[in-house]
Amino acid sequence: MRKQTKISNAVIRRLPRYRRYLNELRKKGVDKISSNEFSHLTGYTASQIRQDLNNFGGFGQQGYGYSVEGLYHEISAILGLDRGYKMVMVGAGHLGQAIVSHTYYYKTGFEVTGIFEVNPNLIGTRINGVEVMNYENIVEFVEAEGIDIGVICTTKDAAQEVADKLCFAGVKGLWNFAPVDIETPSHVAVENVHITDSLHSLAYHMNRK
Amino acid sequence: MRKQTKISNAVIRRLPRYRRYLNELRKKGVDKISSNEFSHLTGYTASQIRQDLNNFGGFGQQGYGYSVEGLYHEISAILGLDRGYKMVMVGAGHLGQAIVSHTYYYKTGFEVTGIFEVNPNLIGTRINGVEVMNYENIVEFVEAEGIDIGVICTTKDAAQEVADKLCFAGVKGLWNFAPVDIETPSHVAVENVHITDSLHSLAYHMNRK
């Protein structure tokens, strides 16, 4: 039974982490886990974990713990990972290539089906079997292929314009790696990834050691 | 006046984001900002912002707001960004190259001074002027150069072994991009970056639009 209340963004950010640990437990053949054991593994308090999972109706049984397989699939369904997504990559530089390779090798359920570039030296090449195409043709491709997500690995200056074009073409989400917060119409979700934020948290913790 | 109480990790994760917005305001020549205006900009509630900044002793003046320049420098100091850091990169694949280029072009205060590889085809090449060296020599280099941070862009399987070697050599922090949570001795800080976590949050929000 899934509650349909508004879940805070902080909870949503913890779910992928819970899911990763559950996946590792599944691979090791672990059937069930208590919130205390799960706390020890993930670094979140047992009370935090119980509270987070209660947002979605619980799943645990008193004195038994959580079913690893059940909780993994339930969290996957909550996140919308029980289906696949088609993505286009914009920008075939090193970061774009790294992300295309990552999604290819780790079979994440998010498939890059087209890569777009303005650099004529890259257009026509292939990355993990996927063709690098002329950015001019991106709208037609997104419409024809029913692309769900646009991944932006362009420069900071080009990112918002690329985002606008992808939204116009009909994507439902943007995963942005350009170092700027891009804006989207209210019907398009966006994750602005700032990799240096984690470096700054690291600096803080280094100075407290 | 900086309080020396234990700050929660959630607060520490918001500080780099606050700092980014303050930097944008500085560049636009904005002198001061109210917590309400800052809330509108960052997406956090004004109460959350005031509460976070109170952890460090406040900084705001009633009826005046926050000094953009002052708050920017104070948050920088809290995070430890008022000094520079030397880093080594392990793994010169696409992701490694992307991160080296990013730190080079955006002058982040975190300088990559050495890149290490096991692939003989890459050893001896240069990335943004930095030499790619044989991984066998990493311990001597880290010791001799007084390296602060090791960046891990290897495969999942190699990551923990590389981390152990870097800790042995004396780094104070690890910034890990391999898709596994690496472990460190208690005196070494670590940030395990899982880029697909943000993709999973994106999927959640797409399905709620």
Side-chain angles (χ1 to χ4, degrees):
Chain A
M1 188 191 69
R2 198 175 312 160
K3 291 185 191 169
Q4 291 299 324
T5 47
K6 168 90 176 148
I7 310 298
S8 86
N9 220 354
V11 178
I12 299 310
R13 295 203 172 281
R14 284 190 288 272
L15 293 183
R17 190 174 175 99
Y18 293 160
R19 183 175 172 274
R20 271 194 280 114
Y21 282 104
L22 290 164
N23 200 24
E24 294 296 320
L25 292 168
R26 286 171 76 209
K27 287 184 191 163
K28 288 178 188 154
V30 177
D31 282 339
K32 58 177 185 165
I33 189 164
S34 70
S35 50
N36 281 328
E37 289 163 335
F38 202 50
S39 162
H40 186 73
L41 198 62
T42 60
Y44 297 109
T45 65
S47 133
Q48 172 88 83
I49 290 168
R50 282 191 297 265
Q51 194 181 316
D52 284 354
L53 299 179
N54 277 338
N55 273 304
F56 305 101
F59 315 130
Q61 282 176 259
Q62 192 75 36
Y64 173 87
Y66 296 102
S67 152
V68 169
E69 191 71 24
L71 192 52
Y72 174 80
H73 286 293
E74 193 61 38
I75 291 181
S76 298
I78 289 163
L79 290 171
L81 304 180
D82 49 356
R83 52 159 288 209
Y85 295 85
K86 283 184 179 179
M87 309 201 291
V88 289
M89 168 65 68
V90 186
H94 289 303
L95 186 59
Q97 292 194 43
I99 291 169
V100 170
S101 298
H102 183 93
T103 57
Y104 178 79
Y105 285 111
Y106 291 102
K107 309 270 176 247
T108 56
F110 294 80
E111 190 192 1
V112 175
T113 60
I115 304 167
F116 291 86
E117 251 297 336
V118 289
N119 181 344
N121 295 327
L122 293 172
I123 295 168
T125 63
R126 284 180 174 269
I127 301 172
N128 294 120
V130 181
E131 193 183 346
V132 180
M133 292 172 274
N134 192 327
Y135 176 66
E136 282 181 9
N137 303 321
I138 195 167
V139 172
E140 294 75 8
F141 185 88
V142 167
E143 287 175 350
E145 299 290 321
I147 298 297
D148 303 291
I149 297 171
V151 191
I152 301 177
C153 286
T154 65
T155 61
K156 184 175 177 170
D157 293 338
Q160 185 64 54
E161 199 180 307
V162 167
D164 293 345
K165 189 166 272 193
L166 285 163
C167 291
F168 172 80
V171 300
K172 294 168 203 78
L174 291 176
W175 196 25
N176 173 42
F177 287 85
V180 58
D181 284 328
I182 56 168
E183 288 170 12
T184 56
S186 62
H187 65 282
V188 179
V190 60
E191 279 286 322
N192 292 297
V193 182
H194 292 272
I195 59 166
T196 49
D197 283 3
S198 59
L199 184 56
H200 294 169
S201 297
L202 178 65
Y204 175 88
H205 292 295
M206 284 169 63
N207 287 294
R208 294 304 176 285
K209 291 280 179 188
Chain B
M1 191 193 66
R2 200 175 311 160
K3 289 186 192 170
Q4 291 300 327
T5 47
K6 168 91 176 148
I7 310 299
S8 84
N9 221 354
V11 178
I12 299 309
R13 295 204 172 278
R14 284 190 287 272
L15 292 183
R17 190 175 174 97
Y18 292 160
R19 183 173 170 276
R20 271 195 280 113
Y21 282 103
L22 290 165
N23 199 25
E24 295 295 320
L25 291 168
R26 285 171 76 210
K27 287 184 191 161
K28 288 179 188 156
V30 177
D31 284 338
K32 57 176 186 166
I33 189 163
S34 69
S35 50
N36 281 327
E37 289 163 335
F38 202 51
S39 162
H40 187 73
L41 199 62
T42 60
Y44 297 110
T45 65
S47 134
Q48 171 89 82
I49 290 167
R50 280 191 298 264
Q51 194 181 316
D52 284 353
L53 299 179
N54 277 338
N55 274 303
F56 306 101
F59 318 128
Q61 283 176 260
Q62 192 75 35
Y64 173 87
Y66 296 102
S67 152
V68 169
E69 191 71 23
L71 192 52
Y72 173 81
H73 287 292
E74 193 62 38
I75 291 180
S76 298
I78 290 163
L79 290 171
L81 304 181
D82 48 357
R83 50 159 290 208
Y85 295 85
K86 283 184 178 180
M87 308 200 294
V88 289
M89 168 65 68
V90 185
H94 289 304
L95 186 59
Q97 292 194 44
I99 291 168
V100 170
S101 298
H102 182 93
T103 57
Y104 178 79
Y105 286 112
Y106 291 102
K107 308 271 175 246
T108 55
F110 294 80
E111 190 192 0
V112 175
T113 61
I115 304 167
F116 292 85
E117 251 297 337
V118 289
N119 181 344
N121 295 326
L122 293 172
I123 296 168
T125 63
R126 284 180 173 270
I127 300 171
N128 295 122
V130 181
E131 193 184 345
V132 180
M133 292 171 275
N134 191 327
Y135 176 66
E136 283 182 7
N137 303 320
I138 195 167
V139 172
E140 294 76 10
F141 185 88
V142 166
E143 286 175 350
E145 299 290 321
I147 298 298
D148 304 291
I149 298 171
V151 192
I152 301 177
C153 286
T154 65
T155 61
K156 183 175 178 171
D157 293 337
Q160 185 63 54
E161 200 181 306
V162 168
D164 293 346
K165 188 167 272 195
L166 286 164
C167 292
F168 172 80
V171 301
K172 295 168 202 78
L174 291 176
W175 196 25
N176 172 43
F177 288 85
V180 56
D181 283 328
I182 56 169
E183 288 169 14
T184 56
S186 63
H187 65 281
V188 179
V190 59
E191 278 286 320
N192 292 298
V193 182
H194 292 273
I195 60 166
T196 48
D197 284 3
S198 59
L199 184 55
H200 294 169
S201 295
L202 178 64
Y204 175 87
H205 291 296
M206 283 169 64
N207 287 295
R208 294 304 177 284
K209 291 279 178 186

